[in-house]
Amino acid sequence: MPNRSTDPLFQLIKSLEKSEKRNFKLYATRNTASDDLKIIQLFDALDKMDTYDEGILLKKNESIKKQQLSNLKAHLYKQLLSSLRLITDESNIDIQLHEQMDYARILYNKGLYLQSLKVLDKLKEQAKVKNQFTYLQQALFFEKNIEALHITRSIQNRADQLSKEADEVNDTLSLVSQLSNLALQLYSWYINHGHARNEQEANEVENFFVQKLGDKAGKCKSFFEKLFLYQSYCWNAFIRQDFLQYYRYTQKWVNIFEEEPYMIAIESGHYIKGMHNLMGSHFDLANHQKLKETLDKFDLFCDSDIVKSSINNSIQCFVYRTISVFNKHFLEGSFSEGIELIPEIEAKLKEYEIYLDRHRILVFYYKIACLYFGSGNYEKAIDYLNKIINWKMDLRSDLQCYSRLLHLIAHYELGNEKILDHLIKSVYRFMAKMQTLSVVEEEIFKFLRNSFHLSVRTIKPELEKLLLKLKHHQNNRFETRAFIYLDIISWIESKLENIPVQEVLKKKFSNKRNYS
């Protein structure tokens, strides 16, 4: 994937739909009959560019001087946002409440205090119903100012009532802030480190979680309090690879939206993320039926107006739906069928490239590489793994490690003896340096280091020994990540049975369905 431009103005223009571009030009030329405004010229020039290049921009638009460019870009950026604000969906609760607050201030500035208070009462009621406590806090602060500065005689015992309301809102916001901090810190730990690699790391995460959570769980009553509480439990369990608890709290996360369905439109991002984690928990627990049911439900949501009316929701739904579709193919062993989706997925990646963060792109590359590996196309798997290995970054060290390990095994499958010794040493050094070498990985390395020199007759007993050793560690939660990122047991079984990996997984999937 090419480097994405980080110029904010260019990114904003490229995100616009045709109707939004048309609206901007009408807005920008509202006070003039000339279409030669410099910001319009700059807009058109940037709109035609595939990637941002300031040198080419100035060369093709000589009327725009370099010393003017910075101010012109800032002015154009502001004008674009103003034009978008005029056509923004008025059903958005944030915009509705912000508008009510503006009306209240306008009325106050006109000296119409009682009318201003009536608007604030309406705002407060709407904010309470929709769980918008930050707006409720602002309304209460403004209301207290009016009562303190003017004799309104609006209601008896107003001071006590307002003080009580303000204290309750402040307590709620304080608890929400503490829980959201905890959820964010745990999620950040995972993004930077992946899963806990040993008992020490798991204990460190658990102790941090328990210390920060304290007695807050019993105080959670409002929507956002429960949302961030469940997210905190979710990330804590996921990092420690307690996948049963991870499932329980992702289900609670989704359930609170189903209990208050109007919140799905208000906090779509959190709902989408919750569904993603719920589907991920079903994959981690190898619960194919639950994954399929939840994916079908998510598909219906992806076709809703809530998603179609928002580019952000559309992108997130594409990302998380695709990952779950990949995971479904992994559980079924239908790698070849999954490969058929790759051209369409890559087209979407290209379409959304200015929006997608590096972490998501890496996950896609690894999933695609696994599809190719499982189908027996090791060359294509290596191509995608190289994209990860050669991408210099500091995120997801676990993905970097397992990409190198899968890359090594793919070369082993291809019989690339000349580079195998070098790769084994290189990958071993990398993983040892990252302090991520597990017992399972040690066993894999021992086998790979010795087996290339074994004959066909003698390699089978060695594979059988390796299989027994790995199965012994299969239920160790700190070795789980090795089996999630790379189903090494199915690979060994495929070598013993002399059939493709996907055939082994299809047999397992079929047997599991027949048994259930």
Side-chain angles (χ1 to χ4, degrees):
M1 182 173 288
N3 291 329
R4 297 168 292 157
S5 172
T6 54
D7 183 80
L9 176 61
F10 181 77
Q11 287 181 322
L12 177 58
I13 290 173
K14 288 301 179 182
S15 74
L16 299 177
E17 298 177 2
K18 286 183 179 180
S19 60
E20 293 170 332
K21 293 176 183 179
R22 184 168 59 251
N23 178 74
F24 163 69
K25 289 194 174 182
L26 290 172
Y27 176 80
T29 58
R30 64 197 183 281
N31 294 323
T32 178
S34 173
D35 288 333
D36 295 329
L37 293 171
K38 282 194 175 180
I39 63 166
I40 296 292
Q41 183 183 351
L42 177 59
F43 174 85
D44 288 335
L46 290 170
D47 191 28
K48 292 174 183 176
M49 299 178 78
D50 292 325
T51 56
Y52 181 74
D53 189 312
E54 188 173 297
I56 294 175
L57 176 67
L58 293 170
K59 186 176 180 180
K60 289 187 175 181
N61 299 272
E62 295 180 355
S63 63
I64 298 176
K65 306 302 179 187
K66 187 171 183 178
Q67 57 268 33
Q68 297 177 309
L69 186 58
S70 179
N71 287 337
L72 275 176
K73 286 172 68 177
H75 182 48
L76 174 55
Y77 192 88
K78 184 178 179 181
Q79 292 291 300
L80 281 167
L81 291 179
S82 296
S83 71
L84 287 171
R85 173 63 183 85
L86 292 175
I87 59 172
T88 300
D89 183 7
E90 293 298 328
S91 65
N92 184 290
I93 187 64
D94 290 299
I95 291 174
Q96 288 180 21
L97 294 176
H98 198 286
E99 187 176 59
Q100 292 296 315
M101 181 63 76
D102 290 343
Y103 292 161
R105 291 191 182 281
I106 290 169
L107 290 168
Y108 174 78
N109 290 336
K110 298 290 288 182
L112 304 172
Y113 312 130
L114 294 179
Q115 291 186 40
S116 179
L117 288 171
K118 284 184 179 180
V119 173
L120 288 174
D121 278 339
K122 181 181 176 182
L123 187 161
K124 284 163 55 183
E125 188 62 33
Q126 196 174 8
K128 287 176 185 176
V129 170
K130 302 296 185 180
N131 296 299
Q132 302 301 302
F133 290 99
T134 53
Y135 284 99
L136 185 56
Q137 185 185 51
Q138 290 179 54
L140 284 165
F141 185 79
F142 190 16
E143 193 173 2
K144 287 195 295 182
N145 270 348
I146 294 174
E147 295 290 354
L149 295 171
H150 307 282
I151 302 173
T152 65
R153 303 186 191 279
S154 56
I155 194 170
Q156 289 185 341
N157 302 319
R158 191 63 170 162
D160 291 341
Q161 183 180 333
L162 282 175
S163 298
K164 182 181 177 182
E165 285 183 56
D167 287 342
E168 289 174 353
V169 171
N170 288 337
D171 289 344
T172 296
L173 285 173
S174 176
L175 183 55
V176 167
S177 177
Q178 293 173 58
L179 290 169
S180 62
N181 287 345
L182 176 56
L184 182 61
Q185 286 173 304
L186 289 167
Y187 184 57
S188 177
W189 196 99
Y190 170 69
I191 291 297
N192 285 293
H193 304 288
H195 296 293
R197 295 167 289 194
N198 48 52
E199 196 72 48
Q200 180 183 346
E201 283 192 352
N203 288 337
E204 287 174 1
V205 171
E206 175 69 7
N207 291 338
F208 173 81
F209 171 73
V210 171
Q211 180 184 356
K212 291 290 184 179
L213 182 62
D215 62 350
K216 299 179 184 66
K219 301 176 182 178
C220 295
K221 297 177 181 178
S222 72
F223 176 87
F224 284 105
E225 289 168 345
K226 289 187 284 187
L227 174 65
F228 292 119
L229 174 69
Y230 297 152
Q231 286 184 4
S232 298
Y233 272 106
C234 168
W235 299 132
N236 176 50
F238 188 58
I239 290 170
R240 296 184 300 103
Q241 300 180 79
D242 184 346
F243 294 127
L244 187 58
Q245 189 181 51
Y246 172 53
Y247 156 69
R248 287 171 180 161
Y249 281 97
T250 54
Q251 186 66 68
K252 287 176 181 285
W253 178 344
V254 171
N255 285 349
I256 60 171
F257 280 96
E258 295 177 350
E259 292 164 6
E260 300 185 54
Y262 56 86
M263 291 302 297
I264 295 176
I266 296 172
E267 290 293 341
S268 304
H270 282 294
Y271 176 72
I272 293 169
K273 187 83 169 183
M275 288 294 285
H276 162 61
N277 281 284
L278 182 57
M279 291 185 288
S281 71
H282 293 322
F283 172 67
D284 292 332
L285 294 171
N287 193 333
H288 175 269
Q289 184 58 35
K290 284 289 188 180
L291 173 58
K292 184 179 182 300
E293 290 172 4
T294 310
L295 183 55
D296 288 343
K297 181 179 177 181
F298 191 60
D299 280 340
L300 291 175
F301 173 74
C302 292
D303 288 331
S304 69
D305 291 337
I306 293 174
V307 175
K308 290 180 178 179
S309 62
S310 166
I311 184 65
N312 182 55
N313 290 344
S314 297
I315 293 167
Q316 296 306 308
C317 281
F318 158 71
V319 169
Y320 296 137
R321 182 189 177 278
T322 304
I323 288 173
S324 291
V325 169
F326 281 154
N327 289 342
K328 181 171 168 285
H329 284 298
F330 296 152
L331 289 180
E332 296 170 352
S334 52
F335 294 91
S336 297
E337 291 88 335
I339 286 171
E340 294 175 6
L341 303 173
I342 292 176
E344 179 185 348
I345 291 167
E346 288 193 317
K348 279 291 185 182
L349 287 174
K350 175 66 177 175
E351 179 183 348
Y352 294 147
E353 67 180 351
I354 67 170
Y355 307 102
L356 295 175
D357 61 82
R358 299 176 298 172
H359 168 257
R360 294 296 169 209
I361 295 169
L362 284 186
V363 171
F364 270 99
Y365 286 164
Y366 190 78
K367 297 283 187 183
I368 292 173
C370 288
L371 281 177
Y372 277 119
F373 183 90
S375 68
N377 191 337
Y378 305 115
E379 291 91 346
K380 289 292 290 184
I382 288 170
D383 289 342
Y384 280 91
L385 293 168
N386 280 333
K387 292 173 184 283
I388 302 172
I389 293 168
N390 296 329
W391 198 327
K392 305 299 182 185
M393 59 187 304
D394 56 358
L395 293 176
R396 291 305 297 272
S397 58
D398 54 344
L399 264 182
Q400 288 280 350
C401 290
Y402 279 95
S403 296
R404 283 166 167 77
L405 185 55
L406 189 60
H407 180 262
L408 170 61
I409 294 173
H411 278 289
Y412 174 84
E413 284 281 13
L414 291 171
N416 293 333
E417 186 173 0
K418 291 183 179 178
I419 65 169
L420 201 64
D421 284 342
H422 167 72
L423 283 176
I424 289 172
K425 293 175 183 177
S426 175
V427 176
Y428 189 91
R429 282 197 302 269
F430 179 87
M431 297 183 81
K433 184 179 179 181
M434 300 295 290
Q435 296 181 329
T436 58
L437 211 56
S438 68
V439 176
V440 169
E441 293 150 8
E442 287 273 15
E443 295 293 349
I444 294 169
F445 275 116
K446 287 178 186 177
F447 170 78
L448 290 172
R449 189 182 293 116
N450 300 325
S451 67
F452 211 80
H453 307 292
L454 298 175
S455 66
V456 175
R457 181 174 57 83
T458 57
I459 197 171
K460 188 172 181 179
E462 294 302 316
L463 279 167
E464 290 172 343
K465 289 178 185 177
L466 176 61
L467 184 60
L468 285 173
K469 289 178 181 178
L470 295 185
K471 283 188 173 181
H472 178 71
H473 298 291
Q474 200 170 8
N475 294 323
N476 182 338
R477 68 186 176 109
F478 297 114
E479 301 298 331
T480 303
R481 65 196 181 110
F483 300 112
I484 290 176
Y485 284 111
L486 178 63
D487 191 347
I488 192 69
I489 287 178
S490 294
W491 175 72
I492 295 170
E493 290 171 344
S494 76
K495 304 304 290 180
L496 290 171
E497 297 178 37
N498 198 28
I499 59 175
V501 172
Q502 66 179 340
E503 294 304 318
V504 173
L505 287 166
K506 282 179 179 178
K507 284 170 62 177
K508 289 181 179 180
F509 178 63
S510 178
N511 291 337
K512 185 177 180 182
R513 295 189 73 177
N514 291 336
Y515 178 76
S516 59

